[in-house]
PDB file of all heavy atoms in Angstrom:
ATOM      1  N   THR A  37      58.198 251.308  80.321  1.00 98.00           N
ATOM      2  CA  THR A  37      57.393 252.492  80.026  1.00 98.00           C
ATOM      3  C   THR A  37      57.474 253.444  81.209  1.00 98.00           C
ATOM      4  O   THR A  37      57.296 253.029  82.356  1.00 98.00           O
ATOM      5  CB  THR A  37      55.927 252.105  79.766  1.00 98.00           C
ATOM      6  OG1 THR A  37      55.886 251.213  78.652  1.00 98.00           O
ATOM      7  CG2 THR A  37      55.072 253.322  79.468  1.00 98.00           C
ATOM      8  N   VAL A  38      57.744 254.731  80.908  1.00 97.00           N
ATOM      9  CA  VAL A  38      57.878 255.738  81.971  1.00 97.00           C
ATOM     10  C   VAL A  38      57.174 257.030  81.557  1.00 97.00           C
ATOM     11  O   VAL A  38      57.015 257.306  80.375  1.00 97.00           O
ATOM     12  CB  VAL A  38      59.360 256.051  82.296  1.00 97.00           C
ATOM     13  CG1 VAL A  38      60.092 254.824  82.779  1.00 97.00           C
ATOM     14  CG2 VAL A  38      60.080 256.657  81.108  1.00 97.00           C
ATOM     15  N   THR A  39      56.774 257.791  82.550  1.00 95.00           N
ATOM     16  CA  THR A  39      56.322 259.166  82.326  1.00 95.00           C
ATOM     17  C   THR A  39      57.148 260.144  83.147  1.00 95.00           C
ATOM     18  O   THR A  39      57.087 261.340  82.904  1.00 95.00           O
ATOM     19  CB  THR A  39      54.831 259.352  82.677  1.00 95.00           C
ATOM     20  OG1 THR A  39      54.614 258.947  84.027  1.00 95.00           O
ATOM     21  CG2 THR A  39      53.950 258.552  81.733  1.00 95.00           C
ATOM     22  N   ALA A  40      57.904 259.639  84.105  1.00 95.00           N
ATOM     23  CA  ALA A  40      58.734 260.500  84.943  1.00 95.00           C
ATOM     24  C   ALA A  40      60.101 260.643  84.289  1.00 95.00           C
ATOM     25  O   ALA A  40      61.068 259.965  84.637  1.00 95.00           O
ATOM     26  CB  ALA A  40      58.856 259.924  86.350  1.00 95.00           C
ATOM     27  N   ALA A  41      60.179 261.540  83.298  1.00 97.00           N
ATOM     28  CA  ALA A  41      61.416 261.796  82.571  1.00 97.00           C
ATOM     29  C   ALA A  41      61.352 263.219  82.033  1.00 97.00           C
ATOM     30  O   ALA A  41      60.271 263.716  81.709  1.00 97.00           O
ATOM     31  CB  ALA A  41      61.592 260.802  81.430  1.00 97.00           C
ATOM     32  N   CYS A  42      62.497 263.865  81.946  1.00 95.00           N
ATOM     33  CA  CYS A  42      62.500 265.227  81.417  1.00 95.00           C
ATOM     34  C   CYS A  42      63.916 265.668  81.060  1.00 95.00           C
ATOM     35  O   CYS A  42      64.903 265.033  81.434  1.00 95.00           O
ATOM     36  CB  CYS A  42      61.895 266.202  82.422  1.00 95.00           C
ATOM     37  SG  CYS A  42      62.864 266.407  83.929  1.00 95.00           S
ATOM     38  N   SER A  43      63.979 266.789  80.364  1.00 96.00           N
ATOM     39  CA  SER A  43      65.251 267.424  80.057  1.00 96.00           C
ATOM     40  C   SER A  43      65.780 268.102  81.320  1.00 96.00           C
ATOM     41  O   SER A  43      65.009 268.650  82.110  1.00 96.00           O
ATOM     42  CB  SER A  43      65.041 268.468  78.957  1.00 96.00           C
ATOM     43  OG  SER A  43      66.204 269.226  78.774  1.00 96.00           O
ATOM     44  N   VAL A  44      67.087 268.052  81.505  1.00 97.00           N
ATOM     45  CA  VAL A  44      67.717 268.752  82.622  1.00 97.00           C
ATOM     46  C   VAL A  44      68.473 269.968  82.100  1.00 97.00           C
ATOM     47  O   VAL A  44      68.407 271.049  82.669  1.00 97.00           O
ATOM     48  CB  VAL A  44      68.673 267.814  83.402  1.00 97.00           C
ATOM     49  CG1 VAL A  44      69.435 268.566  84.474  1.00 97.00           C
ATOM     50  CG2 VAL A  44      67.897 266.658  84.009  1.00 97.00           C
ATOM     51  N   SER A  45      69.212 269.785  81.002  1.00 96.00           N
ATOM     52  CA  SER A  45      70.040 270.854  80.452  1.00 96.00           C
ATOM     53  C   SER A  45      70.223 270.621  78.957  1.00 96.00           C
ATOM     54  O   SER A  45      70.167 269.489  78.485  1.00 96.00           O
ATOM     55  CB  SER A  45      71.410 270.857  81.151  1.00 96.00           C
ATOM     56  OG  SER A  45      72.282 271.773  80.538  1.00 96.00           O
ATOM     57  N   ASP A  46      70.469 271.713  78.226  1.00 95.00           N
ATOM     58  CA  ASP A  46      70.769 271.562  76.810  1.00 95.00           C
ATOM     59  C   ASP A  46      72.254 271.750  76.513  1.00 95.00           C
ATOM     60  O   ASP A  46      72.684 271.583  75.381  1.00 95.00           O
ATOM     61  CB  ASP A  46      69.914 272.493  75.948  1.00 95.00           C
ATOM     62  CG  ASP A  46      70.187 273.965  76.182  1.00 95.00           C
ATOM     63  OD1 ASP A  46      70.980 274.300  77.080  1.00 95.00           O
ATOM     64  OD2 ASP A  46      69.602 274.792  75.456  1.00 95.00           O
ATOM     65  N   ASN A  47      73.062 272.083  77.523  1.00 95.00           N
ATOM     66  CA  ASN A  47      74.492 272.267  77.308  1.00 95.00           C
ATOM     67  C   ASN A  47      75.286 271.884  78.554  1.00 95.00           C
ATOM     68  O   ASN A  47      75.435 272.714  79.440  1.00 95.00           O
ATOM     69  CB  ASN A  47      74.783 273.716  76.913  1.00 95.00           C
ATOM     70  CG  ASN A  47      76.211 273.898  76.446  1.00 95.00           C
ATOM     71  OD1 ASN A  47      76.885 272.951  76.089  1.00 95.00           O
ATOM     72  ND2 ASN A  47      76.663 275.135  76.466  1.00 95.00           N
ATOM     73  N   PRO A  48      75.762 270.646  78.646  1.00 96.00           N
ATOM     74  CA  PRO A  48      75.573 269.591  77.653  1.00 96.00           C
ATOM     75  C   PRO A  48      74.179 268.986  77.768  1.00 96.00           C
ATOM     76  O   PRO A  48      73.536 269.075  78.820  1.00 96.00           O
ATOM     77  CB  PRO A  48      76.647 268.561  78.022  1.00 96.00           C
ATOM     78  CG  PRO A  48      76.789 268.702  79.500  1.00 96.00           C
ATOM     79  CD  PRO A  48      76.576 270.175  79.778  1.00 96.00           C
ATOM     80  N   GLY A  49      73.726 268.363  76.694  1.00 97.00           N
ATOM     81  CA  GLY A  49      72.422 267.719  76.699  1.00 97.00           C
ATOM     82  C   GLY A  49      72.346 266.695  77.818  1.00 97.00           C
ATOM     83  O   GLY A  49      73.171 265.787  77.892  1.00 97.00           O
ATOM     84  N   THR A  50      71.382 266.873  78.705  1.00 98.00           N
ATOM     85  CA  THR A  50      71.243 266.013  79.887  1.00 98.00           C
ATOM     86  C   THR A  50      69.762 265.772  80.142  1.00 98.00           C
ATOM     87  O   THR A  50      68.956 266.694  80.068  1.00 98.00           O
ATOM     88  CB  THR A  50      71.869 266.691  81.130  1.00 98.00           C
ATOM     89  OG1 THR A  50      73.182 267.148  80.811  1.00 98.00           O
ATOM     90  CG2 THR A  50      71.945 265.741  82.307  1.00 98.00           C
ATOM     91  N   VAL A  51      69.404 264.512  80.424  1.00 98.00           N
ATOM     92  CA  VAL A  51      68.024 264.152  80.739  1.00 98.00           C
ATOM     93  C   VAL A  51      68.009 263.359  82.040  1.00 98.00           C
ATOM     94  O   VAL A  51      69.043 262.865  82.495  1.00 98.00           O
ATOM     95  CB  VAL A  51      67.362 263.317  79.614  1.00 98.00           C
ATOM     96  CG1 VAL A  51      67.278 264.124  78.326  1.00 98.00           C
ATOM     97  CG2 VAL A  51      68.077 262.005  79.395  1.00 98.00           C
ATOM     98  N   LEU A  52      66.817 263.246  82.614  1.00 97.00           N
ATOM     99  CA  LEU A  52      66.662 262.364  83.775  1.00 97.00           C
ATOM    100  C   LEU A  52      65.450 261.493  83.585  1.00 97.00           C
ATOM    101  O   LEU A  52      64.512 261.853  82.878  1.00 97.00           O
ATOM    102  CB  LEU A  52      66.594 263.142  85.096  1.00 97.00           C
ATOM    103  CG  LEU A  52      65.367 263.943  85.483  1.00 97.00           C
ATOM    104  CD1 LEU A  52      64.219 263.078  85.953  1.00 97.00           C
ATOM    105  CD2 LEU A  52      65.741 264.906  86.589  1.00 97.00           C
TER     106      LEU A  52
END
Side-chain angles (χ1 to χ4, degrees):
T37 300
V38 299
T39 56
C42 66
S43 172
V44 174
S45 173
D46 65 355
N47 190 19
T50 310
V51 297
L52 73 76

